[in-house]
Amino acid sequence: QVQLVESGGGLVQAGGSLRLACTASGSIWSIKSMGWHRQAPRKSREHVATITDRGSSNYAEPVKGRFTISRDNAKNMVYLQMDSLEPEDTAIYYCSADVVVVGRPFKTYWGQGAQVTVSS
């Protein structure tokens, strides 16, 4: 059993910043990639950023230069620093983790989501 819990969402004015955090816990042997996705009202869930266990990262075009993903492997945590926020960033943000449980191939787990609202 693996759980992912996000924190740090909230309401911010355009141009402001927020930092999301996600903690993975449970029967974890190792975690490969960790990432963030988001889903705005009436839209499909979309990729935001991913970071590998070695620290390589990639970003969706709309957030490049504004968002920064990082992770703490010792704590099984991933972060998303969001700067220069825009109303279009308003969405529920979900973290994901490709987790290896002992004796099983990796599986992708998802958090419950954190609301981010950017006012204009």
Side-chain angles (χ1 to χ4, degrees):
Q1 191 81 5
V2 175
Q3 300 83 35
L4 272 63
V5 178
E6 299 102 337
S7 61
L11 172 65
V12 65
Q13 288 188 333
S17 299
L18 281 175
R19 188 190 193 212
L20 300 178
C22 174
T23 304
S25 62
S27 303
I28 297 170
W29 176 253
S30 66
I31 302 177
K32 297 182 177 295
S33 293
M34 302 185 81
W36 292 94
H37 297 68
R38 67 186 182 186
Q39 186 166 15
R42 297 175 296 281
K43 292 188 177 180
S44 300
R45 188 176 298 190
E46 63 178 5
H47 170 258
V48 174
T50 302
I51 186 167
T52 69
D53 53 354
R54 297 190 176 186
S56 296
S57 59
N58 66 80
Y59 299 88
E61 284 296 329
V63 308
K64 279 184 179 178
R66 301 187 298 120
F67 290 10
T68 304
I69 190 171
S70 60
R71 65 188 281 176
D72 184 330
N73 291 333
K75 296 181 179 179
N76 290 334
M77 294 188 71
V78 63
Y79 306 93
L80 186 69
Q81 177 66 41
M82 303 182 291
D83 299 318
S84 302
L85 282 160
E86 304 168 353
E88 293 73 22
D89 296 316
T90 295
I92 299 175
Y93 284 70
Y94 299 90
C95 73
S96 67
D98 294 337
V99 179
V100 178
V101 175
V102 175
R104 300 181 180 180
F106 82 84
K107 175 181 176 181
T108 301
Y109 291 86
W110 293 87
Q112 81 287 353
Q115 178 70 49
V116 171
T117 302
V118 185
S119 63
S120 56

